[in-house]
Amino acid sequence: MGGKIESRHQRILQLVRERGTIRVTELAEELGVSQVTLRRDVAALESVGQLRRVQGSVSWPTAPLSARDARLARAPRVAAPRGLTIGMVVPTGDRYYRLVLQGAREAALATGARLRIAITEYTAERDLPLIDRLLGAGVDGLLLTPSWSADGPTFEECAPFAELPVPVVLVERRVPLGLPGAHLDRICSDHAAGAALGVEHLAALGHERIALLARQSHTMPHLLRGYHAATAAFGLPDLAFTPPISAAVGMDPPDGMESQTNRLLSLVENGEIDAAIVHTDADAINLIRRLQALGLTVPQDIALVSYDDELSEVSDVELSALAPAKRALGRGAVNLLLRRLAEPTARVTRTELEPELVVRDSCGATLRSPRQPSRRK
């Protein structure tokens, strides 16, 4: 690997020496590498004085600058009139990330920074091209939510994100120690703590057979971890209904949400489950309607806590919910990046935000009369 990089560095120096000045995009295309890789190479060569970078171009250290490049070279980057520009790459602009983006916009506006957003639609192949585009637009730092595997990134997945040429904060993504990128600042929702909080609340209401119904997502492994820990701590049976994590996020595998929901409904009918945590709100609403079709009611026959808290108002029964701090997540991500830009050598920050439990009708805690006996036969 070292020889390959060294050979590429020599080719970069050769091309720049021949042409005097060349744009980064042209250089990356000629070498057949991504702009991310090229910018990393250029940064390494510049750090030892072999190249000079000016706003999207590289030149030989002794080459004369154009009038425009001379002005850009004299201008401090951070002090430009437009302020800092932050690039943000997220899987979607709606659902879970709608409020994350709103919080990021609020924090950027409050500090005078500009926020440029790119959306991958959960397509991993779009991550790096969109990052390249943002880097080409001159962003000062990046907030990234890569479309990695739901059960955690592999070495190959996270390696390209480990040495980008600008500061990076991971949002709702974690890199295990020992893998490239473990040194990056990150801010995440503590979904495991959220699931444990839900189990604790339902157990305090007297429920002893608490299920978890969760669809495949990057959230699911953390929900499972918190659920398993909490049910074990309370001495409760493990009743997790989740699809395998092997399929791509957003795709329902053969043993997916539908079959897991059917299994759960069968046990509820037989009186073997009296409460459940359901991810997501939409799935909780679907479950309520299917329970009603069976002549069962919420919370009398089964208490529910949904995970997300975005659709309570459209449910037949107002959903008690575990609400991740999405807006605070977006604000915190921007503030983490601004801190890293101001203090490049600061210690790595890893922030976990615990979801809030919002108690409404579906868990039974708000009922004025005592919990009614089940009508199951």
Side-chain angles (χ1 to χ4, degrees), residues 11 33 44 60 80 120 147 166 171 186 216-217 219 222 229 252 271 300 307 322:
R11 178 61 176 153
V33 298
W60 199 246
T120 65
S147 296
V166 297
V171 182
R186 70 170 184 243
Q216 181 173 254
S217 67
T219 303
H222 306 293
D252 197 29
Q300 286 79 8
Y307 198 92
L322 293 156

Side-chain angles (χ1 to χ4, degrees), residues 65-77:
L65 291 173
S66 67
R68 172 184 172 276
D69 286 347
R71 287 196 305 271
L72 291 172
R74 290 194 298 269
R77 190 178 186 190

Side-chain angles (χ1 to χ4, degrees), residues 28-263:
E29 184 176 351
E30 183 142 355
L31 292 172
V33 298
S34 71
Q35 289 186 47
V36 172
T37 298
L38 196 281
R39 288 175 187 277
R40 191 162 54 234
D41 290 340
V42 169
L45 292 168
E46 183 188 37
S47 68
V48 293
Q50 293 185 282
L51 288 179
R52 180 170 57 200
R53 286 189 298 174
V54 181
Q55 294 290 327
S57 298
V58 288
S59 62
W60 199 246
T62 57
L65 291 173
S66 67
R68 172 184 172 276
D69 286 347
R71 287 196 305 271
L72 291 172
R74 290 194 298 269
R77 190 178 186 190
V78 173
R82 62 175 176 80
L84 295 172
T85 299
I86 296 170
M88 189 170 189
V89 178
V90 290
T92 177
D94 56 10
R95 295 174 300 199
Y96 188 94
Y97 286 93
R98 179 176 60 86
L99 291 179
V100 176
L101 290 171
Q102 187 173 332
R105 287 191 185 99
E106 291 169 355
L109 181 63
T111 57
R114 182 184 180 191
L115 187 67
R116 296 177 64 98
I117 296 168
I119 296 173
T120 65
E121 302 293 347
Y122 287 101
T123 304
E125 291 76 16
R126 297 189 66 188
D127 280 332
L128 291 177
L130 288 176
I131 290 171
D132 275 348
R133 189 179 303 172
L134 290 170
L135 290 172
V139 298
D140 298 282
L142 289 164
L143 306 176
L144 301 180
T145 306
S147 296
W148 289 334
S149 305
D151 55 348
T154 63
F155 184 99
E156 291 75 17
E157 283 179 316
C158 58
F161 300 85
E163 295 183 13
L164 293 170
V166 297
V168 170
V169 172
L170 295 176
V171 182
E172 291 289 41
R173 294 293 182 265
R174 299 167 177 84
V175 177
L177 294 175
L179 291 185
H183 66 286
L184 296 174
D185 296 319
R186 70 170 184 243
I187 183 167
C188 302
S189 297
D190 193 343
H191 298 304
L197 180 61
V199 171
E200 180 182 358
H201 174 69
L202 291 168
L205 294 175
H207 300 290
E208 297 180 348
R209 299 186 65 79
I210 303 168
L212 171 68
L213 176 65
R215 70 169 47 251
Q216 181 173 254
S217 67
H218 287 93
T219 303
M220 188 181 80
H222 306 293
L223 294 177
L224 276 171
R225 179 163 50 88
Y227 171 80
H228 291 321
T231 52
F234 284 98
L236 302 177
D238 189 317
L239 299 165
F241 298 86
T242 59
I245 309 177
S246 56
V249 172
M251 301 293 290
D252 197 29
D255 190 24
M257 196 66 174
E258 180 67 19
S259 63
Q260 300 298 331
T261 302
N262 289 337
R263 289 176 56 208

Side-chain angles (χ1 to χ4, degrees), residues 4 25 29 68 85 104 227 285 323 363 366:
K4 184 176 180 180
T25 51
E29 184 176 351
R68 172 184 172 276
T85 299
Y227 171 80
I285 291 170
C363 66
T366 62

